[in-house]
Amino acid sequence: GGGGGVHGVGGEWPHDVHAMVDELGLERWCGEVLRRLSLFQRQAVARDIGGRLTGVRNPSGVVVSRIKSHVSTDELINIFVDINQLDRACEQKLWDLSPEQRAAVIAPGIYLQNVRNPSTVVRSRIASVLSGQVTADQ
């Protein structure tokens, strides 16, 4: 349901992002992720999806899974840091991890919805990954 406000909203969405969000019924945060991709990456994602996501319970989740197949983990980390407005210390902790550990931190979701302090949530995810409780496969 409702997209809610994205913490790091700024700037206008390109026309193709507006169109995807409207046509596919995406949440606002998903538009913010799309906005941070190159036009080439957005076109590849749009081709994968093929226009409509009728009958899909979570269209934003489907779009993000397609994004992950076209974008490197490091690019996703940059988007993750940006849309969740993580503090510098938290961002540094994230970059200190291995690529596999970083992937595990963002695996539960690229946008932290309904949390008061996203950096605190991410620090907790990092601690779980470092203690071996969580892997990117889970």
Side-chain angles (χ1 to χ4, degrees), residues 2 13 21 28 34 47 64 83 93 101-102 108 113 116 132:
W13 284 355
V21 169
R28 185 159 178 78
L34 286 165
R47 269 195 307 278
V64 168
I83 68 171
K93 279 186 183 228
Q101 289 171 324
R102 288 196 294 271
Q113 299 186 71
R116 189 166 302 161

PDB file of all heavy atoms in Angstrom, residues 2 13 21 28 34 47 64 83 93 101-102 108 113 116 132:
ATOM      1  N   GLY A   2       0.266   2.389   0.062  1.00  0.00           N
ATOM      2  CA  GLY A   2       0.818   3.734  -0.106  1.00  0.00           C
ATOM      3  C   GLY A   2       2.319   3.846  -0.026  1.00  0.00           C
ATOM      4  O   GLY A   2       2.957   3.280   0.831  1.00  0.00           O
ATOM      5  N   TRP A  13      11.752  13.421 -11.346  1.00  0.00           N
ATOM      6  CA  TRP A  13      11.931  12.127 -11.980  1.00  0.00           C
ATOM      7  C   TRP A  13      11.930  12.297 -13.496  1.00  0.00           C
ATOM      8  O   TRP A  13      11.123  13.048 -14.029  1.00  0.00           O
ATOM      9  CB  TRP A  13      10.774  11.207 -11.619  1.00  0.00           C
ATOM     10  CG  TRP A  13      10.805  10.645 -10.246  1.00  0.00           C
ATOM     11  CD1 TRP A  13      11.789  10.782  -9.315  1.00  0.00           C
ATOM     12  CD2 TRP A  13       9.801   9.833  -9.645  1.00  0.00           C
ATOM     13  NE1 TRP A  13      11.439  10.108  -8.168  1.00  0.00           N
ATOM     14  CE2 TRP A  13      10.228   9.522  -8.351  1.00  0.00           C
ATOM     15  CE3 TRP A  13       8.577   9.358 -10.083  1.00  0.00           C
ATOM     16  CZ2 TRP A  13       9.475   8.739  -7.488  1.00  0.00           C
ATOM     17  CZ3 TRP A  13       7.820   8.580  -9.228  1.00  0.00           C
ATOM     18  CH2 TRP A  13       8.277   8.267  -7.938  1.00  0.00           C
ATOM     19  N   VAL A  21       6.407   4.112 -12.901  1.00  0.00           N
ATOM     20  CA  VAL A  21       5.750   4.140 -11.596  1.00  0.00           C
ATOM     21  C   VAL A  21       4.230   4.137 -11.769  1.00  0.00           C
ATOM     22  O   VAL A  21       3.525   3.364 -11.114  1.00  0.00           O
ATOM     23  CB  VAL A  21       6.224   5.353 -10.758  1.00  0.00           C
ATOM     24  CG1 VAL A  21       5.357   5.552  -9.522  1.00  0.00           C
ATOM     25  CG2 VAL A  21       7.696   5.172 -10.365  1.00  0.00           C
ATOM     26  N   ARG A  28       6.472   4.802  -4.288  1.00  0.00           N
ATOM     27  CA  ARG A  28       7.324   5.968  -4.548  1.00  0.00           C
ATOM     28  C   ARG A  28       8.813   5.662  -4.359  1.00  0.00           C
ATOM     29  O   ARG A  28       9.650   6.098  -5.136  1.00  0.00           O
ATOM     30  CB  ARG A  28       6.874   7.117  -3.640  1.00  0.00           C
ATOM     31  CG  ARG A  28       7.618   8.378  -3.924  1.00  0.00           C
ATOM     32  CD  ARG A  28       6.895   9.629  -3.454  1.00  0.00           C
ATOM     33  NE  ARG A  28       7.731  10.769  -3.745  1.00  0.00           N
ATOM     34  CZ  ARG A  28       7.848  11.313  -4.944  1.00  0.00           C
ATOM     35  NH1 ARG A  28       7.160  10.848  -5.952  1.00  0.00           N
ATOM     36  NH2 ARG A  28       8.664  12.332  -5.145  1.00  0.00           N
ATOM     37  N   LEU A  34      14.703   3.703  -9.237  1.00  0.00           N
ATOM     38  CA  LEU A  34      14.786   3.779 -10.700  1.00  0.00           C
ATOM     39  C   LEU A  34      15.452   5.077 -11.156  1.00  0.00           C
ATOM     40  O   LEU A  34      16.252   5.076 -12.093  1.00  0.00           O
ATOM     41  CB  LEU A  34      13.387   3.669 -11.320  1.00  0.00           C
ATOM     42  CG  LEU A  34      12.765   2.276 -11.303  1.00  0.00           C
ATOM     43  CD1 LEU A  34      11.268   2.359 -11.582  1.00  0.00           C
ATOM     44  CD2 LEU A  34      13.458   1.352 -12.293  1.00  0.00           C
ATOM     45  N   ARG A  47      12.411  -3.589 -20.311  1.00  0.00           N
ATOM     46  CA  ARG A  47      12.310  -4.696 -21.274  1.00  0.00           C
ATOM     47  C   ARG A  47      12.060  -6.014 -20.561  1.00  0.00           C
ATOM     48  O   ARG A  47      11.247  -6.816 -20.998  1.00  0.00           O
ATOM     49  CB  ARG A  47      13.599  -4.811 -22.105  1.00  0.00           C
ATOM     50  CG  ARG A  47      13.586  -4.003 -23.386  1.00  0.00           C
ATOM     51  CD  ARG A  47      14.694  -4.417 -24.338  1.00  0.00           C
ATOM     52  NE  ARG A  47      16.017  -4.403 -23.714  1.00  0.00           N
ATOM     53  CZ  ARG A  47      16.775  -3.325 -23.557  1.00  0.00           C
ATOM     54  NH1 ARG A  47      16.349  -2.142 -23.975  1.00  0.00           N
ATOM     55  NH2 ARG A  47      17.964  -3.404 -22.992  1.00  0.00           N
ATOM     56  N   VAL A  64      12.464  -4.377  -8.304  1.00  0.00           N
ATOM     57  CA  VAL A  64      13.774  -4.372  -7.638  1.00  0.00           C
ATOM     58  C   VAL A  64      14.549  -5.656  -7.964  1.00  0.00           C
ATOM     59  O   VAL A  64      15.756  -5.614  -8.194  1.00  0.00           O
ATOM     60  CB  VAL A  64      13.636  -4.161  -6.113  1.00  0.00           C
ATOM     61  CG1 VAL A  64      14.947  -4.445  -5.395  1.00  0.00           C
ATOM     62  CG2 VAL A  64      13.187  -2.730  -5.825  1.00  0.00           C
ATOM     63  N   ILE A  83      18.995   6.544  -0.717  1.00  0.00           N
ATOM     64  CA  ILE A  83      17.549   6.643  -0.468  1.00  0.00           C
ATOM     65  C   ILE A  83      17.196   6.478   1.002  1.00  0.00           C
ATOM     66  O   ILE A  83      16.148   6.934   1.433  1.00  0.00           O
ATOM     67  CB  ILE A  83      16.695   5.679  -1.341  1.00  0.00           C
ATOM     68  CG1 ILE A  83      16.919   4.230  -0.979  1.00  0.00           C
ATOM     69  CG2 ILE A  83      16.901   5.938  -2.817  1.00  0.00           C
ATOM     70  CD1 ILE A  83      15.948   3.278  -1.659  1.00  0.00           C
ATOM     71  N   LYS A  93      30.917   1.731   7.566  1.00  0.00           N
ATOM     72  CA  LYS A  93      30.842   0.341   8.039  1.00  0.00           C
ATOM     73  C   LYS A  93      30.398  -0.588   6.915  1.00  0.00           C
ATOM     74  O   LYS A  93      30.890  -1.699   6.791  1.00  0.00           O
ATOM     75  CB  LYS A  93      29.848   0.215   9.203  1.00  0.00           C
ATOM     76  CG  LYS A  93      30.395   0.620  10.532  1.00  0.00           C
ATOM     77  CD  LYS A  93      29.367   0.318  11.627  1.00  0.00           C
ATOM     78  CE  LYS A  93      29.890   0.798  12.931  1.00  0.00           C
ATOM     79  NZ  LYS A  93      29.866   0.013  14.049  1.00  0.00           N
ATOM     80  N   GLN A 101      29.161  -9.719   2.014  1.00  0.00           N
ATOM     81  CA  GLN A 101      28.528  -9.219   3.237  1.00  0.00           C
ATOM     82  C   GLN A 101      27.632  -8.017   2.936  1.00  0.00           C
ATOM     83  O   GLN A 101      26.530  -7.903   3.482  1.00  0.00           O
ATOM     84  CB  GLN A 101      29.593  -8.836   4.269  1.00  0.00           C
ATOM     85  CG  GLN A 101      30.311 -10.035   4.869  1.00  0.00           C
ATOM     86  CD  GLN A 101      31.504  -9.625   5.716  1.00  0.00           C
ATOM     87  OE1 GLN A 101      32.215  -8.658   5.399  1.00  0.00           O
ATOM     88  NE2 GLN A 101      31.743 -10.365   6.781  1.00  0.00           N
ATOM     89  N   ARG A 102      28.103  -7.135   2.045  1.00  0.00           N
ATOM     90  CA  ARG A 102      27.273  -5.977   1.661  1.00  0.00           C
ATOM     91  C   ARG A 102      25.973  -6.457   1.016  1.00  0.00           C
ATOM     92  O   ARG A 102      24.895  -5.935   1.308  1.00  0.00           O
ATOM     93  CB  ARG A 102      28.029  -5.045   0.706  1.00  0.00           C
ATOM     94  CG  ARG A 102      29.123  -4.259   1.381  1.00  0.00           C
ATOM     95  CD  ARG A 102      29.596  -3.089   0.547  1.00  0.00           C
ATOM     96  NE  ARG A 102      30.265  -3.470  -0.677  1.00  0.00           N
ATOM     97  CZ  ARG A 102      31.577  -3.698  -0.795  1.00  0.00           C
ATOM     98  NH1 ARG A 102      32.371  -3.587   0.250  1.00  0.00           N
ATOM     99  NH2 ARG A 102      32.099  -4.018  -1.953  1.00  0.00           N
ATOM    100  N   PRO A 108      17.513  -8.067   2.654  1.00  0.00           N
ATOM    101  CA  PRO A 108      16.141  -7.989   3.181  1.00  0.00           C
ATOM    102  C   PRO A 108      15.302  -6.880   2.540  1.00  0.00           C
ATOM    103  O   PRO A 108      14.089  -6.879   2.657  1.00  0.00           O
ATOM    104  CB  PRO A 108      16.329  -7.708   4.675  1.00  0.00           C
ATOM    105  CG  PRO A 108      17.734  -8.084   4.972  1.00  0.00           C
ATOM    106  CD  PRO A 108      18.506  -7.866   3.710  1.00  0.00           C
ATOM    107  N   GLN A 113      11.402   0.927   5.169  1.00  0.00           N
ATOM    108  CA  GLN A 113      10.133   1.634   5.356  1.00  0.00           C
ATOM    109  C   GLN A 113       9.752   1.667   6.829  1.00  0.00           C
ATOM    110  O   GLN A 113       9.998   0.711   7.555  1.00  0.00           O
ATOM    111  CB  GLN A 113       9.030   0.930   4.572  1.00  0.00           C
ATOM    112  CG  GLN A 113       9.298   0.886   3.078  1.00  0.00           C
ATOM    113  CD  GLN A 113       8.127   0.319   2.319  1.00  0.00           C
ATOM    114  OE1 GLN A 113       7.094   0.972   2.211  1.00  0.00           O
ATOM    115  NE2 GLN A 113       8.272  -0.882   1.793  1.00  0.00           N
ATOM    116  N   ARG A 116      12.383   4.735  12.227  1.00  0.00           N
ATOM    117  CA  ARG A 116      12.721   6.081  12.693  1.00  0.00           C
ATOM    118  C   ARG A 116      14.158   6.437  12.315  1.00  0.00           C
ATOM    119  O   ARG A 116      14.442   7.544  11.895  1.00  0.00           O
ATOM    120  CB  ARG A 116      12.548   6.160  14.206  1.00  0.00           C
ATOM    121  CG  ARG A 116      12.679   7.569  14.733  1.00  0.00           C
ATOM    122  CD  ARG A 116      12.178   7.671  16.147  1.00  0.00           C
ATOM    123  NE  ARG A 116      10.770   7.230  16.210  1.00  0.00           N
ATOM    124  CZ  ARG A 116      10.165   6.855  17.316  1.00  0.00           C
ATOM    125  NH1 ARG A 116      10.796   6.871  18.455  1.00  0.00           N
ATOM    126  NH2 ARG A 116       8.905   6.476  17.290  1.00  0.00           N
ATOM    127  N   GLY A 132      27.473 -13.901  11.450  1.00  0.00           N
ATOM    128  CA  GLY A 132      27.210 -15.113  10.689  1.00  0.00           C
ATOM    129  C   GLY A 132      25.775 -15.592  10.737  1.00  0.00           C
ATOM    130  O   GLY A 132      25.459 -16.683  10.279  1.00  0.00           O
TER     131      GLY A 132
END
